[in-house]
Amino acid sequence: MPIYLDNASTSYPKPNVVIDTMASYMKKIGATAGRGAYKNAKETDNLLFNCRKIICKLFNGSDPNKVIFTSNITESLNLVINGLLKSGDHVIVSSLEHNAVRRPLKTLERDKKIQISITPCTTTGITVPADVEKLIRPNTKLIVFTHASNVIGTIQPIREIGKIAKNHKIPLLVDSAQTAGAYPIDVVKDNIDYLAFTGHKSLLGPTGTGGLLINCDTHMSPLKSGGTGGDSKNPYQPEGFPTKYETGTPNTAGIVGLGESLNYLSSIGIDKIRKKEEELVDYALKRLLEVEGIKIYGPRDTKKIVGVISFNLSNLSVEEIARELDSKYDIAVRAGLHCAPTAHTVIDTLDRGTVRIGIGYFNKKKDIDILVKALKSISIEASKGKIS
Ligand SMILES: Cc1ncc(COP(=O)(O)O)c(C=O)c1O
């Protein structure tokens, strides 16, 4: 098994209980949800509703029916962005958005003439909430902020931005891809109207799961329409939560697995998970600095970041570093622009990209030690001209 340091892409390994529960569901229950009155179908309905309840509890939502299941956070973000914004509307975003936010917005800018304002931040990704307020216009209809950068890990002041949004009656959509499961989130205290989440990163669930927790009254249009298992004579998508926004057969096995991974996380507690990751990040930041020629991006304060660290090494290309780590040392990291080009503009690596390590709950200090040893060897080899 490689040393896995790509948890910002997807977490690995998954807890055994998740895998066992999914297998057991497929072997023993296996029915679809919302479409049958027989025992196994009803049991599937219960399992899905139970998962909605656990999500609500984890993020302090008030109505399990306002948890909408999607196939990933990209779909959740598209649902809100396309469902709320109309021609001529204005939207405010951070400087660090993933393409899951940037591309749907740029598409609406091109096709529906929406206007996009990008909130400035420092070169380490720190945003001043008052800068968001300065960008508000009479036609601002949405604020979208990533909770933490997937390139440099910087945690954004969501609570304060949410307060500003509330004062101006503008909904706040938060991309929690890098925080859900790794950092405490409370949609009430954090003033979040729409919390988009993905199941397969720090929530430790399977790929193909994600969702949206709605914490406001909404007139959002659905992204898709089709079969819902009921109200079949209705030619349009039925009103009501979650049906209005969920259509087609859901990923039942995946959602059952997600429910189990959330139980697993709850049994540990998010605060404990955060503490462990903070310790690992602190250790990694200190040890990485021992490597000759390394340049680390983002804040050096562990309280300000999640388990995401980007770096460059001497004049080596990021692809070459990742290839060496993989082929010679069996260490999995990610190299490139990480689907977030504006974040690379912030740290001035748009041409070059970065090597990114994504630290997860199952990593150990030993993994960092092995990485640092490998990087030291790569750095020496490079100085001798053996890698270029
Ligand atoms: C900040 C951020 N937003 C969105 C995404 C997209 O996640 P998914 O592929 O699960 O939709 C990612 C994943 O890399 C991310 O890091």
Side-chain angles (χ1 to χ4, degrees), residues 83-160:
L84 285 184
L85 294 174
K86 309 244 173 328
S87 279
D89 285 347
H90 173 242
V91 58
I92 299 170
V93 295
S94 80
S95 289
L96 304 162
E97 296 306 317
H98 188 276
N99 274 339
V101 168
R102 182 171 171 262
R103 284 183 174 158
L105 286 178
K106 289 300 283 181
T107 305
L108 288 181
E109 181 185 50
R110 183 192 62 197
D111 298 344
K112 290 198 176 173
K113 306 286 172 254
I114 68 153
Q115 302 147 20
I116 306 167
S117 293
I118 299 179
T119 315
C121 67
T122 67
T123 52
T124 55
I126 308 284
T127 306
V128 178
D131 285 342
V132 176
E133 190 156 32
K134 283 184 203 151
L135 295 171
I136 293 174
R137 302 177 188 169
N139 61 337
T140 305
K141 291 289 156 52
L142 184 65
I143 298 174
V144 191
F145 248 74
T146 187
H147 197 180
S149 164
N150 68 314
V151 177
I152 47 176
T154 319
I155 299 163
Q156 299 302 299
I158 290 303
R159 192 169 289 187
E160 294 75 11

Side-chain angles (χ1 to χ4, degrees), residues 8 72-74 98 100 146 150 175 177-178 198 200-201:
N72 49 45
I73 196 170
T74 302
H98 188 276
T146 187
N150 68 314
D175 172 350
Q178 296 298 333
T198 208
H200 65 101
K201 298 187 196 258

